[in-house]
Amino acid sequence: MAAEIVNPRSESGTEGAQEPFDPAFALHRGGKMAISATVPLRDKDDLSLAYTPGVAKVCTAIAEQPELVHDYTWKSQVVAVVTDGTAVLGLGDIGPEASLPVMEGKAILFKQFGGVDAVPIALATTDADEIVETVVRLAPSFGGVNLEDISAPRCFEIERKLQERLDIPVFHDDQHGTAVVTLAALRNAAKLTGRTLGDLRGVISGAGAAGVAIAKFLLGAGLGDVAVADRKGIVSLDRDDLTPVKRELAEITNKAGLSGSLETALAGADVFIGVSGGTVPEAAVASMAPNAFVFAMANPNPEVHPDVAHKYAAVVATGRSDYPNQINNVLAFPGIFAGALQVRASRITEGMKIAAANAIADVVADELSAACVIPSPFDERVAPSVAAAVAAAARAEGVARR
């Protein structure tokens, strides 16, 4: 059934007043963002500097010294938010036009939380090579590229190819933003319970973009072991139905050699991370190790309801804003890009992502409790801390250019 469109002005006495008021449509009318000038245009003198003839001097200087583009345009302050509309929130493949409200939302989050300008770009193609070629041709206008809501496994190929061809940061937020915030919460949960990452065995429900990225990132950060489960069970080398991405994943995960269902993997596990939807039976949660952590991040319905999780887990996190410990990507991507752009980084490295996770965790280091292992998205300390940590890591890893 098609979604019902409700007149957002229905209570104002205008046409359609008989329909109920919907604040979501009211807020979105006309879009959620605009471009504004940062210089005055009051008279002919201002115009002659901002545009012709004055602008020609700047163009000529950039043509002679291309690096000046970072000083005399907005390039080093702006990110392209690129999607093909194939994996939009929990809505799935809804197409480029329908994705625009989400991309606009992402852009205003960049500005609000990181001070970074962003431009939504929704592409009318789902072909991986066409997306890559399009973004490569757009890249001279931007200081970074945030890939958004592109379905797996194409998202892995698109990001890899763009990283190979561009000398600006390329970051698929559905993968890496989620992984960074998850690591931050996990570090603090482990600290709260007197353990290290190496002491923990995790289970991830979901082998899409987020699940794959989280597994790789947590292992790289020192997690003891992790098993990943998809709809057919644990991703393991004894399966003959694995995609290349999942086969690669099977080679680095599941040191315990588990096979079978998600429920099998959860027995005795220390950590559950849900990025798949569906419902995990309460009995499986009860079978986890003492002082377990349940990070059930599906929205709007977590894989394990918090009321159930709290019966058995020492720390519970979700993706929802109405429960404590919200694992929200907005804690990561604005600061990560702000830091990368600040030093004109050529890419975002694993070290920069780990630095971001550590910075997020450290924000609440003195406030740790079971209900506070991760900062609020509105904690004003987060983005500056992340940006500073990412910039320092970029310099340490040799990818900073200023």
Side-chain angles (χ1 to χ4, degrees), residues 32-58:
K32 299 193 291 285
M33 59 183 294
I35 292 176
S36 61
T38 61
V39 297
L41 282 177
R42 299 162 299 195
D43 51 36
K44 65 182 181 64
D45 292 332
D46 288 344
L47 184 60
S48 69
L49 288 174
Y51 201 54
T52 185
V55 73
K57 298 178 183 179
V58 180

Side-chain angles (χ1 to χ4, degrees), residues 81-154:
V81 180
V82 178
T83 189
D84 63 359
T86 55
V88 181
L89 298 179
L91 303 174
D93 185 354
I94 60 174
E97 289 86 359
S99 77
L100 272 176
V102 177
M103 300 310 115
E104 287 183 6
K106 199 77 174 189
I108 64 175
L109 293 178
F110 266 109
K111 188 66 173 179
Q112 177 69 27
F113 293 103
V116 173
D117 290 302
V119 177
I121 299 176
L123 301 179
T125 178
T126 60
D127 181 89
D129 288 334
E130 289 183 357
I131 292 171
V132 170
E133 292 299 329
T134 302
V135 175
V136 167
R137 283 159 175 73
L138 289 170
S141 297
F142 298 98
V145 176
N146 183 88
L147 299 174
E148 189 73 23
D149 293 346
I150 298 173
S151 63
R154 294 174 311 113

Side-chain angles (χ1 to χ4, degrees), residues 158-177:
I158 291 167
E159 183 185 49
R160 176 180 57 78
K161 288 182 175 180
L162 285 173
Q163 287 175 336
E164 290 171 353
R165 295 183 60 179
L166 298 178
D167 64 348
I168 58 176
V170 178
F171 186 84
H172 185 211
D173 187 52
D174 301 317
Q175 293 183 59
H176 309 301

